[in-house]
Amino acid sequence: MQTLDLVDARSGVEFGNGVHLDTRVDGDGERIALVLPGAERAEEDAAFLAALAEEFSVVAPSHPGFGRSPRPDWCRSVDDLAYLYLEWLDRSGLTDVTLVGLQFGGWVAMEMAVRSCARISHLVLVDSLGVKLGGPLEREVVDLFATPHAELDRHLYADESRGLGDLGRADPTAVLEMARNEEALVTYGWEPYMHNPRLLDWTWRITVPTTVVWGDRDGIVRPGYGRGLAGRIPGARFELVERAGHRPQVECPEDVARLIAKSAV
């Protein structure tokens, strides 16, 4: 039986090379889930992580530069994030880890899996970014940085009231966290925009059971992209979550947690 020492999330977790990340650790299940978030605020994933913790011991770090996690100068690419988390898995001694990537975190999870699945037993990608399926002139991902926030909420959520709405009236702490996350997202994903041109050539190296989960009303990356991605990963299954946008774990936390638990058996 594997065990995972629970820590106070406020103290963070050491991920190697001096990188100390703000991390939520929850649950006491025998199965371990490493959850890599997108650019959402930590509070938005709280209900999902609590639901997942009913079946798993959950480790959910904020990436360097996101939330309250500092970003060292050397950490500038998705490659850096992938190696950082792989190194942590090696040091932890954990095996049979369910790796869950949410949106931007799905890109990081795929970069990890094409490098090594030695400690990963299952891969779950939720409305993931990271690959280019169409031609060079096809826009597959909405421009997250040029789209007004009021319009962006309609793309992100089936229920746009989930967003912050008018930023002038929103909680300043929430707005600052969102702004910091967006700044970090630019650092990692500005050019080429939200993908690695070579990643699709290496998805054949993903050798663990994979489930691709998608919100049926995702206005950032349409479900057809998710189906195409699943078709490029050997043996991957595609699951659609009804009445959910780009962040189904926020709008339908129990449904997504159930899909992950069912996938990792």
Side-chain angles (χ1 to χ4, degrees):
M1 173 180 173
Q2 297 189 94
T3 59
L4 181 65
D5 291 333
L6 298 184
V7 298
D8 187 334
R10 291 171 296 180
S11 68
V13 173
E14 181 72 37
F15 277 82
N17 199 21
V19 180
H20 196 71
L21 301 183
D22 182 49
T23 304
R24 173 169 174 165
V25 182
D26 199 2
D28 56 4
E30 292 186 23
R31 294 185 292 176
I32 311 296
L34 174 60
V35 179
L36 304 181
E40 68 278 9
R41 293 173 294 114
E43 177 184 327
E44 293 182 278
D45 284 339
F48 163 66
L49 295 176
L52 196 62
E54 294 180 10
E55 297 287 341
F56 294 86
S57 290
V58 176
V59 181
S62 292
H63 308 299
F66 290 79
R68 294 180 296 181
S69 294
R71 182 183 66 82
D73 290 340
W74 60 263
C75 192
R76 299 183 299 273
S77 71
V78 175
D79 285 352
D80 292 327
L81 297 179
Y83 283 120
L84 179 69
Y85 294 130
L86 284 171
E87 195 272 343
W88 178 78
L89 284 177
D90 285 343
R91 285 193 300 112
S92 73
L94 297 171
T95 57
D96 298 328
V97 172
T98 296
L99 179 60
V100 180
L102 309 173
Q103 297 85 57
F104 169 72
W107 178 5
V108 180
M110 279 192 285
E111 296 281 7
M112 293 172 64
V114 300
R115 287 163 171 77
S116 175
C117 289
R119 298 187 179 277
I120 301 167
S121 61
H122 298 83
L123 175 65
V124 182
L125 304 172
V126 181
D127 293 69
S128 177
L129 307 173
V131 300
K132 181 70 173 166
L133 295 170
L137 299 181
E138 292 182 61
R139 178 172 290 283
E140 296 170 308
V141 182
V142 166
D143 192 328
L144 298 167
F145 309 119
T147 305
H149 274 283
E151 183 181 342
L152 202 58
D153 284 344
R154 294 195 292 272
H155 291 307
L156 285 169
Y157 301 104
D159 175 6
E160 64 182 272
S161 67
R162 294 275 189 170
L164 289 178
D166 182 351
L167 298 186
R169 297 169 179 258
D171 173 50
T173 301
V175 174
L176 284 172
E177 182 179 357
M178 182 191 70
R180 188 162 191 264
N181 289 359
E182 289 182 354
E183 181 181 13
L185 196 61
V186 169
T187 298
Y188 295 115
W190 176 252
E191 189 177 0
Y193 180 66
M194 293 302 158
H195 76 285
N196 173 358
R198 297 300 314 280
L199 180 55
L200 205 59
D201 296 330
W202 289 100
T203 51
W204 59 270
R205 278 185 50 84
I206 299 176
T207 56
V208 295
T210 300
T211 303
V212 178
V213 177
W214 225 262
D216 69 339
R217 302 184 194 176
D218 187 343
I220 300 295
V221 193
R222 299 292 181 182
Y225 177 101
R227 289 190 177 92
L229 174 59
R232 297 298 294 267
I233 299 174
R237 294 189 302 109
F238 181 79
E239 298 277 0
L240 204 61
V241 180
E242 295 182 354
R243 300 180 301 280
H246 184 59
R247 296 170 177 169
Q249 81 279 3
V250 175
E251 295 189 278
C252 303
E254 293 84 6
D255 292 342
V256 176
R258 249 191 318 270
L259 281 173
I260 294 170
K262 183 177 75 173
S263 300
V265 294

